[in-house]
């Protein structure tokens, strides 16, 4: 599934490649299954997009928001899979949930893996959507300072007990992070996934903060993770340190064998000697 760096990468590529293109035809899969969230019928989507022009795109958390001018925005969120630009006459992927053909014959397709939103709103109304409304600052926002992060932790410890993995991946406390990038963030911060948030000392908080912002920045710089694809169907350049390929191999820092546990709805990969 895409996480913040993949959405930032897609937004940049949308801006470079799609901005200014006029929509000839927009279509939605008439039978997408219940895990693809549409807010329009295929007929509405086609009539509302026809003749409109693609404007600017931006990413917030796990959401990509694209102006469809005049008056609308296309929202792709909480998804994974493929969001791909195709030149004119390129072969059509087998299974697609959304297709937008431009008047120069090029087209955009989106196919989500598992679940995801593909929605069209009157501009501004997307801000009222669940998960976008009241979204906290994300690690690429200027408001995501160490002071903000310390205050977030102070709030979190007032609630139910949380671990570092819970802080990183649950309840959109830090929007845009997911189970994949969280593994490397915890490794670089030298924190065990189960480490209680309430026990973090000042130095650990600072390390965790630096690891969150530094890792996100690095994955963005490399165009996303190697196991996800960009707008041109190319894999990202960021190879994770801690993922399924690392299990049983020596930790890059100390040589201890990397372990795997199932914890909080997903696998964790970590070094039991570096991460405490
Ligand atoms: Zn280690």
């Amino acid at each position: 599934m895409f996480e913040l760096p993949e959405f930032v990468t897609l937004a940049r590529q949308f801006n470079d490649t799609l901005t200014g293109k006029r929509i000839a035809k927009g279509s939605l899969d008439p039978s997408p299954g219940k895990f693809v969230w549409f807010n329009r019928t295929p007929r509405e989507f086609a009539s509302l997009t026809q003749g409109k022009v693609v404007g600017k795109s931006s990413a917030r958390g796990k959401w990509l928001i694209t102006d469809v001018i005049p008056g609308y925005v296309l929202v792709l969120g909480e998804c994974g899979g493929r969001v791909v630009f195709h030149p004119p006459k390129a072969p059509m992927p087998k299974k697609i949930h959304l297709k937008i053909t431009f008047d120069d014959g090029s087209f955009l397709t989106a196919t989500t893996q598992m679940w995801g939103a593909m929605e069209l709103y009157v501009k501004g109304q997307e801000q009222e959507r669940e998960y976008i409304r009241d979204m906290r600052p994300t690690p690429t926002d200027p408001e995501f300072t160490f002071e903000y992060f310390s205050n977030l932790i102070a709030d979190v410890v007032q609630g139910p007990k949380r671990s570092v993995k819970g802080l990183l991946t649950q309840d959109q406390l830090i929007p845009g992070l997911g189970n994949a990038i969280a593994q490397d963030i915890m490794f670089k911060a030298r924190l065990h996934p189960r480490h209680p948030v309430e026990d973090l000392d000042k130095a650990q908080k600072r390390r965790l903060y630096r690891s969150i912002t530094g890792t996100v920045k690095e994955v963005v710089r490399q165009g996303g993770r190697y196991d996800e694809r960009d707008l041109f169907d190319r894999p990202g350049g960021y190879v994770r340190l801690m993922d399924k390929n690392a299990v049983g191999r020596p930790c890059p820092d100390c040589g201890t064998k990397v372990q795997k546990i199932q914890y909080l709805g997903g696998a964790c990969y970590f070094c039991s000697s570096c991460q405490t």
Side-chain angles (χ1 to χ4, degrees):
M1 299 294 278
F2 299 148
E3 297 177 2
L4 177 59
E6 286 76 38
F7 282 106
V8 171
T9 301
L10 282 173
R12 179 172 50 78
Q13 295 177 328
F14 267 50
N15 283 327
D16 290 347
T17 306
L18 304 183
T19 306
K21 286 191 184 287
R22 186 173 295 276
I23 297 172
K25 188 168 194 286
S27 36
L28 296 178
D29 182 352
S31 52
K34 64 182 173 180
F35 295 110
V36 184
W37 312 318
F38 291 155
N39 68 340
R40 305 285 180 181
T41 63
R43 187 192 291 258
E44 282 172 338
F45 188 80
S47 78
L48 291 172
T49 53
Q50 190 173 27
K52 293 203 170 56
V53 173
V54 179
K56 278 197 86 71
S57 294
S58 59
R60 277 219 70 207
K62 294 183 188 170
W63 297 84
L64 173 66
I65 300 173
T66 300
D67 281 338
V68 176
I69 299 168
Y72 286 83
V73 292
L74 175 70
V75 170
L76 302 178
E78 297 280 344
C79 55
R82 299 279 189 275
V83 176
V84 177
F85 174 74
H86 310 264
K89 300 195 174 117
M92 181 71 67
K94 275 205 188 74
K95 176 73 187 165
I96 52 170
H97 296 128
L98 173 148
K99 181 185 176 198
I100 293 177
T101 306
F102 303 107
D103 65 1
D104 62 4
S106 63
F107 56 104
L108 173 78
T109 60
T111 310
T112 188
Q113 170 196 42
M114 308 227 268
W115 56 77
M118 299 184 186
E119 298 169 347
L120 186 76
Y121 289 94
V122 170
K123 187 173 167 69
Q125 287 183 359
E126 80 286 359
Q127 295 300 326
E128 299 304 313
R129 192 201 189 283
E130 191 185 8
Y131 303 126
I132 297 179
R133 184 180 60 219
D134 303 326
M135 194 190 294
R136 296 172 194 264
T138 80
T140 50
D141 293 335
E143 305 94 292
F144 195 86
T145 59
F146 181 65
E147 191 187 358
Y148 165 79
F149 182 66
S150 306
N151 291 336
L152 173 69
I153 288 180
D155 281 352
V156 163
V157 299
Q158 302 301 315
K161 267 192 183 291
R162 292 215 191 242
S163 60
V164 168
K165 179 175 174 184
L167 173 71
L168 296 181
T169 63
Q170 291 188 312
D171 298 328
Q172 288 215 107
L173 292 169
I174 306 178
L177 303 184
N179 193 51
I181 197 169
Q183 306 305 316
D184 280 13
I185 289 172
M186 293 186 286
F187 175 65
K188 291 177 191 173
R190 301 189 162 259
L191 290 169
H192 192 283
R194 294 187 197 272
H195 190 113
V197 171
E198 62 192 13
D199 292 351
L200 291 171
D201 64 27
K202 181 99 190 234
Q204 289 171 323
K205 283 180 206 168
R206 206 163 263 289
R207 253 184 6 232
L208 183 55
Y209 172 77
R210 286 211 189 106
S211 183
I212 292 167
T213 52
T215 306
V216 167
K217 205 175 269 178
E218 182 56 22
V219 186
V220 167
R221 195 183 67 78
Q222 299 204 37
R225 310 196 308 274
Y226 77 100
D227 49 359
E228 297 291 354
R229 300 285 180 133
D230 70 4
L231 185 61
F232 307 102
D233 206 18
R234 300 176 306 207
Y238 182 82
V239 179
R240 286 162 63 196
L241 299 167
M242 291 289 157
D243 69 0
K244 61 180 192 299
N245 298 320
V247 179
R249 294 205 183 151
C251 160
D253 280 1
C254 75
T256 303
K257 275 189 180 171
V258 172
Q259 293 183 21
K260 174 184 178 180
I261 53 168
Q262 287 296 331
Y263 175 52
L264 290 185
C268 287
Y269 309 96
F270 65 100
C271 171
S272 60
S273 116
C274 291
Q275 294 175 249
T276 57

